Amino acid sequence: MAIAAAITLPLTSPARRSLASFTSLRSYSPILKLNSVRGSVALRTACLRVSAASSSMSVEAVEKASPASFLDRRETGFLHFVKYHGLGNDFILVDNRDSSEPKITPEQAAKLCDRNFGIGADGVIFALPGINGTDYTMRIYNSDGSEPEMCGNGVRCFARFIAELENLHGKQRFTVHTGAGLIVPEIQDDGKVKVDMGEPILKATDVPTGLPANKNQSVVKSDLDVDGVTWNVTCVSMGNPHCVTFGTKGGQNLQVDELKLAEIGPKFENHVVFPARTNTEFVQVFTPSHLKMRVWERGAGATLACGTGACAVVVAAVLEGRAERNCTVDLPGGPLQIEWREEDNHIYMTGPAEVVFYGSVPL
């Protein structure tokens, strides 16, 4: 179920946050009307507006709205957005097609992503005009305000967002310029999005990593000391850096659910051998075609899914002789299908992207 919402969250003091309005997509369903916290409750078939004050809250019926009409709004002083998620990796999507620069700053994005005082998200994604012959440009601010090169789950959400903005239906394909280069998402007939993620980058200096190359200029199953423990790691870039590990040196097969991710993740992310910091994937192998991973994302921390991370995991598993080229990768938010094709060296990722709600925030 998707819920359309107009949420007022000022980008100022956390003490002055207010929830201003919601508009339900299910506008023909019964909705509660609340006149105040202690007031009467009536059942109505209408859309909904919620106003919050310091001591009371009122909910009143408002006109029915469609997603299309919501996205056409152009009030000044407001940022209209749609929140999407890809396997729980959630993003605030902004229509930025009228400008080549994001409508908000990294600092504002970080406030919007705050899960206690903001909307709550792993990042803010902007749909900008295409450059170099592409249909669109995608830029992202992480929840800490940093800007990554690309995001796999994010690009699936981006594709679904573009289809909604352009009122497109059925199978659709776009070319998208990103910080990682050209990415080509394709919406499938079943609503899932298949993305040509391009070729993996394996040369150590291009990942980048300071670990010495040990296999054809690449870092494959190399030793990495993290806080006195030696881990075996393989380094892969999908346009953004990844460190993939299947466990410690000489240790048993990794049981990813037992990891204290919040403790170990930052130590990998900020390790001196990763000059641009790194995303880190911890992987458990069930079969050569079935893997399970947990991820610590650079700039976002522990997330429910990471599309580029899942791609990097399959590449690392193939390089280490642990898996086939076509795998199901289980993430905390659900599975992704990843294929590393031998004929073109491209990686293809297939997975869902879903609307969560529609909203507006004053700037």
Side-chain angles (χ1 to χ4, degrees):
M1 179 184 72
I3 303 173
I7 304 177
T8 298
L9 294 163
L11 297 177
T12 53
S13 167
R16 299 184 60 192
R17 301 296 194 263
S18 65
L19 182 65
S21 63
F22 282 87
T23 307
S24 172
L25 272 178
R26 300 184 63 185
S27 54
Y28 298 99
S29 301
I31 291 178
L32 289 175
K33 180 184 179 183
L34 309 177
N35 295 322
S36 70
V37 171
R38 297 181 180 178
S40 61
V41 178
L43 206 59
R44 300 191 67 151
T45 302
C47 289
L48 186 66
R49 181 175 296 277
V50 183
S51 298
S54 58
S55 60
S56 65
M57 179 176 70
S58 67
V59 182
E60 60 189 67
V62 297
E63 61 189 79
K64 294 172 183 176
S66 68
S69 66
F70 180 86
L71 292 169
D72 284 339
R73 292 178 178 178
R74 292 291 183 269
E75 297 98 328
T76 58
F78 280 82
L79 178 75
H80 299 299
F81 66 89
V82 184
K83 185 171 176 180
Y84 279 80
H85 79 88
L87 299 179
N89 196 189
D90 55 343
F91 304 95
I92 298 163
L93 276 291
V94 177
D95 181 4
N96 213 117
R97 292 172 297 166
D98 58 352
S99 173
S100 59
E101 288 298 321
K103 292 182 177 180
I104 62 172
T105 66
E107 292 75 20
Q108 288 176 313
K111 289 179 180 179
L112 289 178
C113 289
D114 190 293
R115 295 191 183 278
N116 297 109
F117 298 113
I119 296 163
D122 292 321
V124 180
I125 297 178
F126 306 90
L128 299 101
I131 60 175
N132 299 329
T134 59
D135 296 321
Y136 304 97
T137 295
M138 182 178 84
R139 287 181 63 181
I140 315 167
Y141 290 149
N142 282 325
S143 57
D144 68 352
S146 62
E147 183 172 1
E149 299 86 350
M150 227 288 287
C151 174
N153 288 311
V155 79
R156 296 200 315 277
C157 294
F158 182 93
R160 291 292 300 270
F161 182 54
I162 289 296
E164 185 164 28
L165 289 176
E166 304 282 9
N167 197 28
L168 302 173
H169 304 280
K171 202 166 187 176
Q172 302 292 335
R173 183 176 182 272
F174 314 108
T175 56
V176 182
H177 175 80
T178 74
L182 176 66
I183 300 294
V184 185
E186 184 179 89
I187 301 173
Q188 306 294 291
D189 290 329
D190 62 2
K192 290 184 178 180
V193 183
K194 183 176 184 177
V195 185
D196 179 351
M197 300 287 286
E199 300 185 53
I201 298 166
L202 300 175
K203 187 177 179 181
T205 54
D206 293 338
V207 171
T209 178
L211 286 170
N214 61 355
K215 184 178 180 181
N216 299 325
Q217 297 185 303
S218 304
V219 174
V220 179
K221 206 173 182 181
S222 183
D223 291 354
L224 177 64
D225 184 280
V226 179
D227 212 21
V229 178
T230 302
W231 295 75
N232 290 134
V233 301
T234 294
C235 297
V236 179
S237 173
M238 292 302 306
N240 55 352
H242 292 269
C243 173
V244 181
T245 181
F246 296 86
T248 58
K249 186 176 183 179
Q252 300 293 320
N253 289 335
L254 195 59
Q255 302 295 309
V256 295
D257 289 337
E258 297 175 5
L259 283 172
K260 295 180 179 179
L261 194 58
E263 291 182 15
I264 190 67
K267 295 175 182 177
F268 275 85
E269 177 186 359
N270 299 293
H271 200 287
V272 66
V273 299
F274 301 114
R277 297 188 294 161
T278 191
N279 303 282
T280 308
E281 289 76 33
F282 301 88
V283 192
Q284 183 174 347
V285 180
F286 293 133
T287 71
S289 61
H290 188 190
L291 312 174
K292 182 178 182 177
M293 64 172 269
R294 291 180 68 192
V295 60
W296 182 268
E297 289 198 50
R298 179 188 60 166
T303 62
L304 294 178
C306 176
T308 57
C311 294
V313 160
V314 171
V315 171
V318 171
L319 293 176
E320 292 194 20
R322 299 176 184 271
E324 301 165 355
R325 286 178 171 264
N326 198 334
C327 294
T328 299
V329 180
D330 291 341
L331 302 101
L336 286 173
Q337 196 65 34
I338 308 296
E339 181 185 7
W340 184 17
R341 289 187 186 169
E342 198 163 8
E343 56 266 33
D344 62 5
N345 199 39
H346 283 222
I347 302 174
Y348 296 84
M349 168 190 65
T350 305
E354 307 286 345
V355 171
V356 183
F357 59 79
Y358 299 75
S360 299
V361 59
L363 297 176

